[in-house]
Structure formats: C-alpha cells, structure tokens
Amino acid sequence: MKLAFFSLLYSVHAVYANISPYNHLLRARGAAADDKTILNPPPVPNPAPPKAFNIQLQSGGAAGLSIKHDGSFLGFSIEFSVSDQVIGKSGNNLNTPFLNLMANIKARAGKVVIRVGGNSQENATLVPSLAPGVTILKNGGSGQDDNETPSLSFTPDLLYAMSNVSSLTNAKWYFGIPFLDLSKLQLNLIELAESTLGSNLLGLQGGNEPDLYGGHGKRGTDYAPQDYFNDFGVLVKAMGDDGQIQQKNLLVAPSVCCQWSPEDVFKTGFLDTYGDKLTAIAVEHYPTNNCGVNGKVRSPQDLFPTFLNHTSAQSLTTPYANAAATAQSLGKPFLMFETNTASCGGFPGLSNSFGAAMWAADYALQMAYYNFTTALLHVGGQSEFYNPFTPPTTKSGLGWTIGPVYYSSLFVAEAFGNSGNAQIVDLNGNGGNIYTPAYAIYENGSPARLVLFNYVTDPSGANDLTVSVSIGGGSAGGTSSVRVRYLTSGSKSVSETQNMFWAGQTLGLPNKSDGTLQGEQVTTTIQCNSNTCAIPVQAASVALVFLTPDAEKESSQSASLSSSVTGKASPTSKSTATPKKNNNQDGATGSGAASRYTIPVMSTVAAVAFGMSLLFG
Ligand SMILES: *[C@@H]1O[C@H](CO)[C@@H](O)[C@H](O)[C@H]1NC(C)=O
Ligand SMILES: *[C@@H]1O[C@H](CO)[C@@H](O)[C@H](O)[C@H]1NC(C)=O
Ligand SMILES: *[C@@H]1O[C@H](CO)[C@@H](O)[C@H](O)[C@H]1NC(C)=O
Ligand SMILES: *[C@@H]1O[C@H](CO)[C@@H](O)[C@H](O)[C@H]1NC(C)=O
Ligand SMILES: *[C@@H]1O[C@H](CO)[C@@H](O)[C@H](O)[C@H]1NC(C)=O
C-alpha cells in the first residue's frame, strides 16, 4: 500500500530527494560493491573538442572571482541511520578506515566538514542506552539504508564517537534535529550535541527537505512554505526557552531540495524573522534519481553522457545564484547540504565510475565559483552505488569500498588548499567547449592553481589535450616550471569502476581499502618556455596545476599529528580508547581531547600524516 502511494507520488512530481526504502525492495539487490556493471563510455564527440588551447592568466586578480574558499569545501553527509556503521559505534570504537579517510582530507585542507542526518534523522529518538554494542536501533524494518522516516533510537555514543573523530581529524559537524513531531522536540539532544561537540558543532538542521513533507506524509498534503515557517518558529521558540542551550543561533535551513525553491521559503519572511538564529542557509539536490518511478527504471547507460560534460555542473548550479547572493549579503554560509549523482542510491556503473569522480569535481568547483561555501556528498547504506566510502557488509575481514567521488574530495581539497584564500573562476576554457572545462584558483590576487578537465574517453591518445598556460603581469611573470597532479583511471575511461588514482595514489580496489593512500605520490614537473607552460591532459582525466611552489605547499600533507602514538591497524580494526565519563561537558571547549585519547587508532591516522604507506593485507 505504501508502495502504491509512493508510485502515485512520483508520477506527479519529479522528486529527486533521497528516498530509498521501496526502491530497495524493487531492486532487491545486495551490497553495491557486488555489482559488476560497466557502462560504455560516450563516443568521442563529433566534432571532437579542439585538442589544444591557450589560457592567459594575469596577476592582479580576475573578473568574476568567487568568495574565498578552503580545501574542506567538498565534505560528506552521512545518512543518520547508518552513521554508526560508518563512523563507529562509540567514542572508543571508531572505524579506523573512516578515520584515515577523514585524515586524508584534513592533511590537505586542515579540516573536514561532515553532516550526520538525512531523512532518517526525522523520527530518531535519543535514548540513554540500548543493548550492549548497539548505538542505533531501527525499530522495525531491517533497513540498512537511508529509509524515508524509519523510527529509530540512538544513544549518546553516536555523539561521543563524532567528538572523538574531531579530536583525531579536526572534523566539523552538522547534525540533524528530528523534526517529525514538533510536540516532542528533543531539546536534550540539542543540549547533548552542543556540550559534546563544542566548537566542532557547526550547525543544527531544522527540517530536512520540508518541501517533501506534504507529499511524503510527514505533514498534511498541502504543507506549504508558510507551514514550514510556522514549524521552524516552534523550534526557535523552544530553543530560546531552554536555558541549557548556550547557542540559539546554530540553525541550518531551509534545506529544500525539490518542490520549493529557497526563494519560496524566503518569501515567507523566513530570513527576516529567523536570520539571527541561522548559522547557514542550506539546500539539497540530486541531478536525477533511481527511485524506479512507476516501475520505470532509468537507464544508467542513457544517463551517463549527461554527467560527462560541463553543462551538468552549470545547470545544477545556476538555479542557486540568487540564493547564494542572498546568503552572501547576510554574511551566511550557503550549503549544498546533501548531493550526489542520483538519489535512491545512484546507478550501477555510473555512480561508481571514474566519470562520477570527474563530474563531482566539476560540480564542486562550479558550486564554489557560484559562491556556495560547502558541498556535502551523501553517504548512504551498503547498497548505494554513489557512496564516497562504504564499510564492509559483514565482519568478513573485507576492507572498505572507496567510491570515485571520494577522490573528488581529495582533488578539491588540494585544488583549494589550506590557506582559506582560494578564489575560483570558471575560465570558459577552449572556447567554452563543454568537454574541456577549465578553472583558475587565485589567492591574494595571483593565479595559484589551474584545473583542466578532459571528459572525452579515447585511450588511443588521439584526443589528449594540450593546454598552454601563460601568466602575465606582476611577480608571477617569468614562470620557469609548474607542477601537475592528475586524477586518472586505470583504463583511461570514464567507465572504469575499479582502478582510480589521484596523483598516482589509490585508495585500493572495492572491498580492499583501509582508507590510506597506496603508492607513491606523483607530481609532474612541466618546464615552461618563454613563460608559457604546455600542460598535457590525457583523455579522460583532470589535471591540477600548481602555478607556484607556495600553491603546491598549501595543498600538501601536513604532518601535524602527534608522533607519540603507536599501534597496529587493519582495515577492520577498531580503536580501543579508554572511555572517560559519558557526560563529557568539557568537550565544549575541546581542550585536552587529543591527550586523553591514548590509543592504537591513531596509528594509521598518524601514518597518513607522516606519509607512510600501510598496506592492507
Ligand atoms: C566485495 O565483497 C563481496 C562479499 O564477499 C563480493 O560479493 C563482491 O563481489 C566484492 N566486490 C568486488 C567488486 O570485488
Ligand atoms: C571519546 O569517547 C568517550 C565515550 O565513548 C568519551 O568518554 C571521551 O571523552 C571521548 N573523548 C574525546 C576526546 O572526546
Ligand atoms: C515515529 O516513531 C515512533 C516510535 O518511536 C512511532 O510510534 C511513530 O509512529 C513514528 N512516526 C511516524 C510518522 O513514522
Ligand atoms: C551534456 O550534459 C547535459 C546536462 O546534463 C545534458 O543535457 C546533455 O545531453 C549532455 N550532452 C551530451 C552531448 O551528452
Ligand atoms: C560570487 O561572489 C563574488 C563576491 O561577492 C561576486 O563578485 C561574484 O559575482 C559571485 N559569483 C557569482 C557566480 O555569482
């Protein structure tokens, strides 16, 4: 009956939110890592893009530069219901591969931004404890996945785990407030999040995709922006009345995805009324869905080319130009709170392909150019194809599966670096050819880095690109060489689903990762002639060009973790920190955290920081 309800709904609206339970029943598949689908790459376009073009950059700035960004721009959104499987079950039982994955980003960007939430946050209940070893309990349904509104219970251990992840990897968190039943607002949950995460708590989401509340039975079918305005007021008032909550201004809204534009909500007076309670303005969006509307399954093969040109990134981003400007005028961050290739789990062969890594990098750069301040790639259950990372299904001794879009996060972390001054501009490269987009990243008025895409798949080499870069004016003139790192795949194809590399390093094959980068980092030096540097960009790949030694330094790993930690790690190993008292009030200051955590879990994290390579096996 519910299934029928959903089908009807989808026939009425193009709903791209992340809703999967019924879809999962329809697909009846196992873990995404089991799927072996390989799509055909799109043919070489006709006409093929010109194989050589010039980019002339000037010191002293450029027109159209974005606001300033740092390397944590492309973070992660972890579905609430699976967050313990991904992060770990408690503060002293963290997943080492997860820590390593976050440490990789931290080493490049200085920090990593993570959200825990999604549809499954809406009817979650904080309880003091559950059965031993259980942190999140789904009440009914076996749901591994990001279900619609499963009712679930969770313990404070989830927040302790998050806090300890912050101590180790400088993770900054967004957390979702259950919004289904406003008569039972869990202010204790807000108090706990605030006291446990302290300054590592970036914000609290009030309402996830409220534009779908009516259609999905969470409210009346006529639920409108004005109703959301009213509901949000209930939360604001309750938080205001709660003397235990220190910060009343950490809210994130309106998180619309599908039916309403952000402006539809702004028009209710939302920003005037609640602006001082908002720490950020957020939206959520997926380009398409695999929800099996009316039993109609979209063909990943047909969709594949729609991800593999620059129009995708542009058309996904331009609708938010106005909202981004509004946020900027209010001095608020503007967040893409949840996105990925396709809601309802993504598509086999597409979401887990190298093409998806290229797409997510382009999309992230485009969002940065359009003044989003953060974008979060969604992580769902084990059957999702789009996950940046997926823990193993069982205690099989298998490693993690690292998805292509995780590489995009690494790429973006280095493209923006850790200075906090990266300003992005889309160069409309190669005469605006959609298969060869190019971006420049400026810092303090000078070109620092360049990103060059070649979306074409042609392993013959006939469609490799050469981009001639010259820098005029100011002190940057006289460039004698530049350094380049590449995002590549083993088969030089957007269809590759196994072997992916960032700067020559890989996270490993599906089921085989411990979250550390394997192999030597490769950075190619390109000699320049008369201040012009010819950068090869093979089909299909993305190049990150460091135009100055400082630009490379700012993107490189920082060995900042304590060297006093020792221990052994395996892909499935857990940390064994001795837990302190649960009511961790001093977490609010974040002080003393690292020293309290005297533990094996640091081993791989530290190894990453020190550039060591721990082999899984
Ligand atoms: C991952 O492991 C599962 C469970 O053993 C297996 O069925 C699947 O084929 C593996 N996936 C890949 C891509 O090797
Ligand atoms: C780690 O988690 C435990 C609870 O599981 C907590 O007692 C301890 O204070 C946490 N440590 C940090 C650094 O937050
Ligand atoms: C929310 O969860 C509670 C149990 O915790 C359940 O009784 C209730 O029906 C759920 N609400 C919805 C709308 O699913
Ligand atoms: C390029 O991407 C856009 C946006 O996804 C899509 O509509 C278009 O069909 C794609 N072009 C080609 C030639 O595949
Ligand atoms: C981003 O913000 C900057 C600074 O306000 C502005 O100059 C630029 O036009 C904005 N970019 C876009 C694409 O709106």
Side-chain angles (χ1 to χ4, degrees):
M1 183 187 152
K2 259 203 159 159
L3 185 59
F5 174 61
F6 255 69
S7 300
L8 177 66
L9 196 81
Y10 283 123
S11 67
V12 179
H13 305 298
V15 174
Y16 296 167
N18 200 29
I19 301 135
S20 12
Y22 310 103
N23 178 51
H24 284 153
L25 294 180
L26 288 172
R27 283 180 293 178
R29 64 167 196 240
D34 297 359
D35 193 276
K36 300 288 196 298
T37 305
I38 306 285
L39 302 177
N40 297 315
V44 174
N46 184 12
K51 291 179 216 7
F53 67 98
N54 301 326
I55 290 176
Q56 171 75 54
L57 301 172
Q58 295 291 337
S59 286
L65 290 180
S66 73
I67 55 172
K68 293 179 176 185
H69 294 290
D70 71 42
S72 66
F73 183 89
L74 190 56
F76 308 101
S77 158
I78 304 175
E79 185 66 37
F80 196 101
S81 56
V82 299
S83 56
D84 61 333
Q85 292 170 27
V86 174
I87 298 167
K89 299 276 181 202
S90 70
N92 56 18
N93 196 1
L94 301 174
N95 288 331
T96 304
F98 176 74
L99 289 172
N100 288 327
L101 291 164
M102 298 306 104
N104 292 337
I105 306 292
K106 186 214 164 190
R108 291 162 174 79
K111 65 177 194 285
V112 56
V113 178
I114 315 171
R115 169 238 193 172
V116 170
N119 287 311
S120 59
Q121 83 193 23
E122 300 281 33
N123 198 10
T125 306
L126 176 65
V127 296
S129 64
L130 291 163
V134 179
T135 305
I136 295 180
L137 177 70
K138 283 129 202 150
N139 306 323
S142 63
Q144 287 271 5
D145 299 298
D146 41 336
N147 290 1
E148 171 62 341
T149 17
S151 106
L152 51 84
S153 310
F154 70 102
T155 72
D157 279 329
L158 179 62
L159 285 146
Y160 300 146
M162 291 161 63
S163 173
N164 286 359
V165 169
S166 289
S167 307
L168 295 166
T169 69
N170 202 23
K172 305 291 176 186
W173 301 92
Y174 291 102
F175 198 71
I177 302 172
F179 210 72
L180 189 63
D181 187 349
L182 294 177
S183 71
K184 293 185 192 141
L185 268 176
Q186 295 169 66
L187 299 171
N188 59 333
L189 164 53
I190 301 174
E191 294 161 16
L192 180 74
E194 190 182 44
S195 63
T196 306
L197 297 174
S199 60
N200 295 317
L201 178 63
L202 292 179
L204 295 159
Q205 184 188 32
N208 181 66
E209 300 175 343
D211 45 335
L212 300 183
Y213 280 3
H216 293 175
K218 293 179 194 170
R219 296 287 195 275
T221 49
D222 55 355
Y223 193 77
Q226 186 61 45
D227 298 309
Y228 177 61
F229 174 98
N230 297 341
D231 281 352
F232 200 77
V234 174
L235 174 63
V236 166
K237 172 151 192 341
M239 285 176 69
D241 292 346
D242 183 335
Q244 298 293 306
I245 298 174
Q246 306 299 313
Q247 295 157 280
K248 321 280 191 189
N249 58 353
L250 282 188
L251 292 173
V252 175
S255 311
V256 292
C257 63
C258 312
Q259 307 292 328
W260 307 341
S261 67
E263 288 77 12
D264 289 336
V265 178
F266 299 164
K267 271 185 285 191
T268 64
F270 197 90
L271 298 175
D272 291 337
T273 308
Y274 305 126
D276 62 342
K277 303 297 185 292
L278 294 177
T279 192
I281 294 172
V283 294
E284 303 183 11
H285 193 71
Y286 292 76
T288 182
N289 71 74
N290 188 13
C291 300
V293 181
N294 281 343
K296 259 191 236 149
V297 179
R298 292 167 195 233
S299 151
Q301 184 63 66
D302 291 350
L303 286 170
F304 203 26
T306 70
F307 286 86
L308 298 172
N309 75 65
H310 192 46
T311 309
S312 176
Q314 289 175 314
S315 61
L316 288 168
T317 307
T318 48
Y320 296 108
N322 178 59
T326 300
Q328 196 182 149
S329 72
L330 296 173
K332 309 263 185 225
F334 185 57
L335 316 175
M336 175 52 74
F337 217 46
E338 181 181 322
T339 191
N340 214 315
T341 40
S343 61
C344 292
F347 290 97
L350 188 162
S351 301
N352 55 335
S353 71
F354 179 68
M358 298 183 72
W359 169 81
D362 191 8
Y363 182 28
L365 289 162
Q366 191 70 19
M367 283 191 276
Y369 170 52
Y370 267 80
N371 297 323
F372 279 83
T373 54
T374 297
L376 305 177
L377 293 165
H378 201 56
V379 183
Q382 276 141 341
S383 60
E384 317 295 39
F385 290 102
Y386 58 52
N387 285 344
F389 36 81
T390 312
T393 34
T394 55
K395 297 191 173 185
S396 56
L398 289 173
W400 285 41
T401 297
I402 309 306
V405 298
Y406 177 78
Y407 291 80
S408 318
S409 270
L410 277 183
F411 182 92
V412 169
E414 293 197 22
F416 295 179
N418 63 18
S419 74
N421 288 324
Q423 293 179 274
I424 321 307
V425 60
D426 184 335
L427 296 171
N428 203 27
N430 205 4
N433 190 287
I434 59 174
Y435 301 103
T436 59
Y439 296 87
I441 292 115
Y442 280 72
E443 290 190 359
N444 306 313
S446 296
R449 301 179 201 84
L450 199 59
V451 175
L452 306 169
F453 285 80
N454 186 350
Y455 270 119
V456 178
T457 294
D458 180 1
S460 78
N463 280 283
D464 290 358
L465 266 184
T466 304
V467 182
S468 297
V469 184
S470 31
I471 302 173
S475 55
T479 307
S480 60
S481 67
V482 295
R483 304 259 293 160
V484 191
R485 290 182 190 150
Y486 292 99
L487 185 63
T488 57
S489 70
S491 54
K492 299 186 180 184
S493 170
V494 292
S495 299
E496 173 76 47
T497 60
Q498 305 257 321
N499 293 294
M500 299 181 204
F501 302 91
W502 165 237
Q505 296 183 301
T506 183
L507 275 303
L509 294 170
N511 286 333
K512 292 258 156 69
S513 184
D514 66 358
T516 63
L517 284 158
Q518 310 295 325
E520 291 289 309
Q521 185 181 58
V522 178
T523 311
T524 307
T525 302
I526 306 273
Q527 298 300 331
C528 308
N529 253 326
S530 328
N531 203 28
T532 298
C533 324
I535 317 292
V537 190
Q538 79 174 26
S541 72
V542 191
L544 173 59
V545 185
F546 299 104
L547 298 170
T548 67
D550 277 351
E552 183 179 345
K553 218 176 292 161
E554 287 166 5
S555 302
S556 297
Q557 303 200 4
S558 55
S560 59
L561 289 172
S562 160
S563 58
S564 65
V565 283
T566 53
K568 269 178 81 170
S570 75
T572 49
S573 71
K574 306 286 189 174
S575 66
T576 51
T578 315
K580 270 197 76 189
K581 283 287 250 238
N582 269 359
N583 57 347
N584 171 25
Q585 291 297 332
D586 60 353
T589 64
S591 65
S595 57
R596 231 189 287 132
Y597 208 80
T598 51
I599 28 115
V601 72
M602 285 289 283
S603 56
T604 32
V605 176
V608 169
F610 292 114
M612 288 159 55
S613 226
L614 289 191
L615 286 167
F616 162 52

